[in-house]
Amino acid sequence: MNRDEPAQHPPNPVAERREVMCALRDGTRLRTVLLVPHGSGPWPALLTRHPYDVTGDEDAGLLDVRRLVAAGYLVALQDVRGRHGSEGVFDPIVQEEADGADAVAWLAALPECTGSVGMWGASYASETQFSALLGGAPALRAIAPALSPAMSAFDGFRFRGGVPEIGSTLAWSHYAIAPDLMTRIGSAAEREAERKRWEATERAIANGDAFRAGALQAPADAEAIVVWGLDRLREPFESAQHRAGKIAGRIEAIDVPVLLVGGWFDVFLGSTLEIYRRLLRRAKDTGAPAPRLLVGPWSHDNMSGRTAGVDFGPGSSVDDLGGGVDLTAYHVRWFDAALRAGAADTPPVRVFVTGSNRWVTSDEFPPPGTRTLPLYLSAGGSLTAGPPEPGERRLISDPASPVPTRGGAVLLFAPYESGPADQAPVERRQDVVSWRTEPLGEELTVMGPVGAVVHLTTTGTDADVVVRLCDEHPDGRSLVVADGVQRGSARLVDPVTGRGARRPVEPGRNQEFAVDLWSTAHTFLPGHRVRVDIAPSSSPRWDIGRNVFEPAGGSAEPTVAHCTVRHGPAHPSRLVLRVVATQQR
C-alpha cells in the first residue's frame, strides 16, 4: 500500500449509538447504551445487564458488540439499578428479577426491535439473565450465561461444603463494587468516612486480619458493601437471603434455550455445571430445550488460555477457540439458531481437555462411555486402584497457621492467582499429606465429576477437609487440576439447597467426609502421576475453621486439633474419577 494513501478500515456496523434511560415500573431509570445496525429493521435484540459500567463493553467486553450489530442484532448494554449511570439504590441480586423483566419488556417494545430478545454476559451478568426469566419476561427467548453462580448460594457462591467463601466475597464487594458506591454518596463528610473504611478494609486484606480465624464473628470496620457481604456469610443456611435470585427449586422457570459457558478454573464452575445437569435432565424428561455447554481452560477473570504459568496453547482462548471461531462467532451462530431459526451448527457440548490441550465435542457431559475409577489411599503414600493397605497419616490443624491458597478455581486479590498453580511449596508443609500413583505407562483422561471420600478422626468438635487433585509432572511440579472442601458439621447439608441439619463432629470417632471437587476434563500424560493432597484449610479462599462446632450466630475461640486420615479395607479413603475408555481418547 502506498504510504500516502489513507488506511482502509472496515465500515462501522453501528449506524447509531444512543445513550437512553429505561424506565422501570417504579419510575427508576437505568442507563442503557443502544447500538443500532444499518438498515431499516426491526431486529432481534441482545441485552446484557451488570453493575460494572457497561460502557466498557463497547470496546473490551466478553463479546465484540460491534460484530453482534454487524450480524443484525439491536444491542443493548445496561447498568443495573444503583450503579454507574443508573438511578436508584443497589440491592445486589434481590433487585434483578423485577428490574430484569421490566428491562426486557422495555427493549422488546422499541420500534427497532422485533419483540424477540436474547441475553448474554458473565458472572453477575449471568445472574441477571436467569433473574429476568424468574421475574416473568415472555419476550426473552434465549440466554447465554457464562461463569454463572445462579444455581444456589451453597456451591461456590457464598459457601462450599458448608464453608464460607470469604475470599471471593471480599474480592467482589471491596474491589468490584465499593468504589462506585462511594462516589454516589451525597454527603462529602460521609463519603470521606466511607473512604476511610475502604482503606481499613484494604489494610486488613494486606495484613491478613480480614480473613483470620474468627474474622466473620468480629465487628467489621469496613465499608457498607463489605459489611453487607460478610453479613450474608454469617446468616444461617435456611435464610431466605440465600435463595434470592437463585434457580435451585425453580428450574422449570428456565424454559428457553440456554448456552452455558464455563471455565475449569472458575469459582462458579460447580454452579455452571449443576445448571447444565438439571436443565439436561429436565430436557430428557419433558422435551424442553436441551442446554448447550462450552467449557475452556479459563478462570473467572482470565480467559486467555494462559494462567498460573501454564500456556494451554493455540485455540485455548476466547479469541481463538480453534477452527477459525472465537467466542463472539460462537454466540452469533447460537443466537441465530435460537432467535432466527438458523442452523444449530454449534455442538451440544464442547470442552477443552487440559494436559493434552485439545477440544472435544460430545452430545452431553460427561460423554457416554466414561467409567468410574476409584483410586485408594494406601500405605507409603501410594494411590492405587488395587486393594488398599491399612494405615494412617496424621496432621495438625492450627487455625493460627492456615495452609495458604495456591491457584485453583478462585476469585481472589493479588497475589493470589487462579489456575493450575504448582502445589509443591504447600505440599512440603507438615499439615498437608499426599498420596500418588506410580508414573503412568499410558495416558489417563479424566472427564466428568471428581470426588473424594476421606475417613478422618479429630480431637476437635468440627473439622474442615480440603482435597486437591494434582497432576505431578516428571520434573516435580504438582499442578492443581481440581479441588474442594467439606466442613464436618455440614456433612449432612445438601450442597445445592443448603437444607439439612448442622451437627458437631464427635472427637476421636471416625467420620466419613464426602468432598466434591466439582469436575474436570484433563489428561494425565505418560510418566506423570495422579496425586491427591489433603489439608485442613485453604486461606484466604475459604473461612478458616476453628475446629470447634458453633451453632449459627455462636462464637468460640479457635483451637488446635490433631487429625488422623485413615485408609485401608476398614476405612476406604479414596479419590473417585470418571475416566474415558482408551478407544475414546
Side-chain angles (χ1 to χ4, degrees):
M1 185 182 75
N2 189 316
R3 292 185 179 181
D4 295 328
E5 294 179 5
Q8 299 297 309
H9 299 286
N12 188 348
V14 179
E16 184 179 2
R17 178 193 184 276
R18 303 179 202 157
E19 196 164 305
V20 299
M21 300 301 281
C22 163
L24 304 178
R25 67 187 73 177
D26 65 356
T28 302
R29 301 184 307 158
L30 307 185
R31 178 179 68 171
T32 308
V33 176
L34 287 178
L35 304 177
V36 184
H38 289 281
S40 57
W43 304 272
L46 297 179
L47 167 67
T48 191
R49 309 181 64 249
H50 63 67
Y52 307 120
D53 188 352
V54 293
T55 59
D57 287 3
E58 295 183 70
D59 296 306
L62 180 70
L63 304 182
D64 184 336
V65 295
R66 288 177 176 80
R67 287 170 57 198
L68 299 180
V69 174
Y73 290 97
L74 173 67
V75 172
L77 316 172
Q78 187 174 87
D79 291 326
V80 299
R81 178 191 295 257
R83 297 294 291 169
H84 297 282
S86 290
E87 299 173 348
V89 177
F90 183 53
D91 188 4
I93 309 303
V94 175
Q95 65 189 31
E96 304 306 347
E97 290 189 26
D99 289 3
D102 286 358
V104 169
W106 169 85
L107 181 60
L110 293 178
E112 296 86 356
C113 183
T114 61
S116 181
V117 177
M119 292 183 73
W120 91 92
S123 193
Y124 197 106
S126 75
E127 293 238 48
T128 59
Q129 299 174 56
F130 288 108
S131 290
L133 285 172
L134 295 175
L140 183 54
R141 309 290 170 76
I143 61 174
L147 314 176
S148 181
M151 188 66 223
S152 83
F154 298 98
D155 198 21
F157 179 58
R158 289 186 183 141
F159 305 91
R160 184 164 175 198
V163 183
E165 291 274 358
I166 191 168
S168 59
T169 297
L170 285 168
W172 181 77
S173 58
H174 178 66
Y175 291 109
I177 301 299
D180 176 64
L181 291 187
M182 285 190 289
T183 68
R184 303 172 74 92
I185 298 173
S187 163
E190 179 52 34
R191 190 164 57 249
E192 177 62 15
E194 187 75 339
R195 185 189 64 80
K196 289 181 178 179
R197 288 188 284 267
W198 189 94
E199 291 176 347
T201 302
E202 185 78 351
R203 288 192 299 272
I205 288 174
N207 63 29
D209 283 349
F211 39 84
R212 61 176 173 77
L216 277 178
Q217 277 64 39
D221 182 20
E223 64 271 38
I225 189 64
V226 170
V227 172
W228 175 91
L230 297 179
D231 281 347
R232 301 292 83 75
L233 301 184
R234 297 180 184 112
E235 290 183 8
F237 291 167
E238 60 270 19
S239 169
Q241 282 279 356
H242 298 320
R243 296 191 297 274
K246 303 303 179 185
I247 63 174
R250 297 192 281 178
I251 203 74
E252 71 283 348
I254 314 306
D255 57 355
V256 300
V258 178
L259 166 62
L260 290 156
V261 178
W264 294 127
F265 304 104
D266 174 42
V267 67
F268 302 135
L269 172 66
S271 175
T272 299
L273 292 180
E274 186 64 22
I275 294 169
Y276 168 77
R277 285 189 288 267
R278 296 195 179 205
L279 289 177
L280 181 63
R281 188 181 311 129
R282 193 193 63 175
K284 291 179 177 181
D285 291 345
T286 68
R292 300 205 164 213
L293 178 68
L294 174 72
V295 186
W298 309 317
S299 70
H300 199 73
D301 54 4
N302 184 346
M303 302 177 82
S304 69
R306 298 180 300 278
T307 183
V310 175
D311 188 337
F312 292 103
S316 63
S317 79
V318 291
D319 296 323
D320 176 14
L321 300 176
V325 176
D326 65 5
L327 193 63
T328 299
Y330 201 88
H331 276 71
V332 167
R333 291 181 184 180
W334 184 78
F335 277 123
D336 283 350
L339 299 179
R340 289 177 161 147
D345 59 353
T346 57
V349 172
R350 191 167 191 255
V351 300
F352 190 90
V353 183
T354 57
S356 54
N357 295 347
R358 59 195 170 91
W359 289 97
V360 298
T361 60
S362 63
D363 291 333
E364 59 185 72
F365 183 83
T370 57
R371 64 181 178 87
T372 299
L373 173 66
L375 294 176
Y376 293 91
L377 281 56
S378 193
S382 63
L383 191 62
T384 176
E389 297 180 16
E392 61 184 39
R393 302 280 293 280
R394 297 182 181 182
L395 58 88
I396 295 176
S397 172
D398 183 356
S401 179
V403 179
T405 300
R406 197 172 166 84
V410 302
L411 174 60
L412 293 173
F413 29 78
Y416 302 98
E417 186 179 13
S418 56
D422 185 7
Q423 301 301 303
V426 295
E427 288 170 345
R428 290 192 285 267
R429 290 174 57 105
Q430 295 299 307
D431 51 0
V432 178
V433 289
S434 303
W435 290 259
R436 59 184 188 163
T437 64
E438 292 296 318
L440 299 176
E442 62 178 12
E443 288 186 1
L444 177 68
T445 297
V446 180
M447 198 173 298
V450 178
V453 177
V454 178
H455 288 257
L456 179 136
T457 62
T458 176
T459 59
T461 55
D462 208 346
D464 291 349
V465 174
V466 174
V467 180
R468 288 191 300 270
L469 168 65
C470 298
D471 183 339
E472 184 179 318
H473 289 226
D475 62 9
R477 288 177 299 146
S478 179
L479 305 188
V480 62
V481 174
D483 56 10
V485 66
Q486 180 63 50
R487 180 159 287 177
S489 58
R491 61 196 182 280
L492 302 179
V493 173
D494 186 282
V496 174
T497 65
R499 299 190 185 98
R502 295 175 63 249
R503 296 178 181 174
V505 169
E506 185 177 334
R509 181 179 178 181
N510 181 73
Q511 307 285 335
E512 185 177 275
F513 286 68
V515 185
D516 184 1
L517 281 69
W518 288 343
S519 292
T520 191
H522 180 79
T523 297
F524 293 85
L525 298 174
H528 292 223
R529 301 174 189 251
V530 180
R531 182 176 182 127
V532 60
D533 299 339
I534 296 178
S537 52
S538 179
S539 180
R541 181 179 187 180
W542 290 309
D543 173 55
I544 301 168
R546 284 177 281 179
N547 298 317
V548 180
F549 174 71
E550 296 173 293
S555 179
E557 287 298 314
T559 184
V560 173
H562 296 261
C563 304
T564 302
V565 177
R566 289 188 165 87
H567 52 76
H571 303 99
S573 296
R574 60 199 181 273
L575 181 69
V576 183
L577 308 175
R578 290 287 292 274
V579 298
V580 176
T582 303
Q583 61 268 25
Q584 289 182 293
R585 295 202 295 269

